[in-house]
Amino acid sequence: MKNFYLLLAFSSIICLSSCGWFKKPPEIGKVLADYSKNKIYNDFDSVAYDSVFVKTMATLAEDFINPNTIKSFYSANSNQPELVTKFFVDNSLDSLANYLQNSTEHGFNPKLFKTDEIKSLITQLRENKFKKVDQSYPIIAKLELLSANAYLNYSNYLKYGLINPRNLFSRYYIKVKRPDSLGMIKLLGGKNLIDSLHAFQPKSDQYKALQTAYLSADNESEKHILLLNMERLRWKMPATGTYFVQVNIPDFRLTWFDKKDTVISMKVCVGGKREADYESKFKVFAKSGNLDDKPKNHETPLLFSKINSIQANPVWNIPVSIAQSEIYWMARKDPYYLSNSNINVYYKDKLIGEPDTINWSKYSRDKLPFKFKQGSGGGNALGKFKFIFDNSSSIYLHDTNNKNGFNLANRAISHGCVRIEKPLEFAEKLVNDTYAYDKLRAEVDLPPIDSTHVKWYKKRLAAKADTLKAFQLKPTWFGPKKAVPLLITYITAWAQNGKIEYRPDIYGMDEILWSAIKKFR
């Protein structure tokens, strides 16, 4: 009998609890009740709110950039209004709305974030004119979701940029970091909205200088250029450290930085611009397969790597594309072109002793069975030095035997590699050692800097001059003191010496980028 009464009492408690007698309002209900002094929030029903939230999500998510991430976050938090609960009362959501409204200083349009709608929803919730608690559910749900979406978009745009350049440019090989779902979920679950909003703001001097110039510029084309380069600075690039080499293609210049100081700076020649109407011409080539239809594209790729070796008296392994488009025709036109140019020909990796006897008319240039290498020496197209770094495009920095190119205003003239104006000075900085530098100088017949090294320098010259022994000039490898980060990039506006420097958009990359980001303005 005793057990019967205990069971009856337990059942009664379960019943009373399910009927809501001991039910506490969820945290959002308590927060809004305390804030508004309105007791209707004590009746906040999580089940009823959840139904409204799900419907609101279904309506709004179609316009979200990261709908699955947002759904995942709220699913893990029982669809509770996390942002409104934490950040409405302390006015942090108002601060979010203010940051969104002021996003024009970054070139964004506040309408992207539905800023006015968020501000209106905050006002409606703050005015507290609801007669019944369920009237607040759609306001809370919409404010929550629009705030979450705007918060993520705003942070991602500032931290990672509006677009992924690797999806836009075919020769952009720099691995930029992009937003990930775990990071976004962590952001939504953060404890301090205002601190996060402040942390998103770009801090670099370059960005701030471009931003100031943008806010004061009157000319629309100038504003476009400034915005484009602000966007480039927002891309999350690999860490170069404070000691690195940068090649800026539009500036035709290599600069070695040590923190903010310049170690060395010099002119460069870069790859030539692709043919006009390249895309449509390439489609024709893709269908025909005829090399005569193939449009030229020698643009230097954008990449990040580390310079890991120097080759003195380099051999030029001539790319297939150059062999087909140039070497083949020169050899057909002049049977002695190859030997006079110190170009060796290989068939199945075996050296052909007399390349001048090859009947080139027998071979189709699109199926050439030969490989071509230009030997070391004064006539080598790479000059006396090649600076090597890992990359998938067979690109390197090198000297050149044609110095006239450095006198041109538009130095986009190479096949894609980067010719540098002062290779010897660059090599000296890389080896960063007097003994190694003198060895390197000796390889290119230059006297040593250290007089104690004169003896072996003269010995080398004597060996080279000995007519009784065949002296063969060969490549010699040198290692830098430490691998130096290299960034080949594309910047058309930057701050320098208190003013903004502008450079022509030689590859048309500004035009392509503007087409991608103008919808955000």
Side-chain angles (χ1 to χ4, degrees), residues 324-342:
Q324 292 174 333
S325 62
E326 298 179 26
I327 304 298
Y328 173 80
W329 294 117
M330 296 297 291
R332 286 194 64 168
K333 183 179 179 181
D334 177 3
Y336 302 108
Y337 166 76
L338 295 169
S339 56
N340 288 339
S341 302
N342 193 21

Side-chain angles (χ1 to χ4, degrees), residues 251-254 265-269 406-408 411 419-422:
D251 192 29
F252 304 116
R253 182 161 291 275
L254 176 151
S265 181
M266 65 189 73
K267 296 176 181 178
V268 297
C269 298
F406 297 112
N407 297 322
L408 301 174
R411 296 192 288 277
R419 305 173 190 171
I420 66 174
E421 181 187 22
K422 304 172 185 176

Side-chain angles (χ1 to χ4, degrees), residues 125-172:
L125 193 56
R126 186 154 285 131
E127 287 176 345
N128 188 36
K129 293 182 179 179
F130 311 114
K131 300 299 182 184
K132 296 180 180 179
V133 69
D134 58 1
Q135 294 174 339
S136 71
Y137 297 163
I139 303 300
I140 295 170
K142 198 169 188 180
L143 175 59
E144 178 71 22
L145 288 169
L146 289 183
S147 297
N149 184 58
Y151 184 39
L152 290 184
N153 291 345
Y154 180 75
S155 69
N156 288 342
Y157 293 162
L158 286 182
K159 290 164 64 178
Y160 303 100
L162 296 167
I163 58 100
N164 183 349
R166 288 168 65 86
N167 294 337
L168 194 62
F169 302 109
S170 61
R171 294 197 173 188
Y172 195 102

Side-chain angles (χ1 to χ4, degrees), residues 340-378:
N340 288 339
S341 302
N342 193 21
I343 295 176
N344 294 320
V345 182
Y346 296 80
Y347 178 76
K348 294 183 178 180
D349 295 326
K350 291 185 178 180
L351 178 66
I352 296 176
E354 298 290 338
D356 301 336
T357 63
I358 297 173
N359 183 358
W360 294 101
S361 61
K362 289 174 56 178
Y363 301 98
S364 168
R365 71 186 177 109
D366 59 342
K367 295 181 180 179
L368 279 178
F370 306 106
K371 292 181 180 178
F372 302 85
K373 295 184 180 183
Q374 187 175 42
S376 304

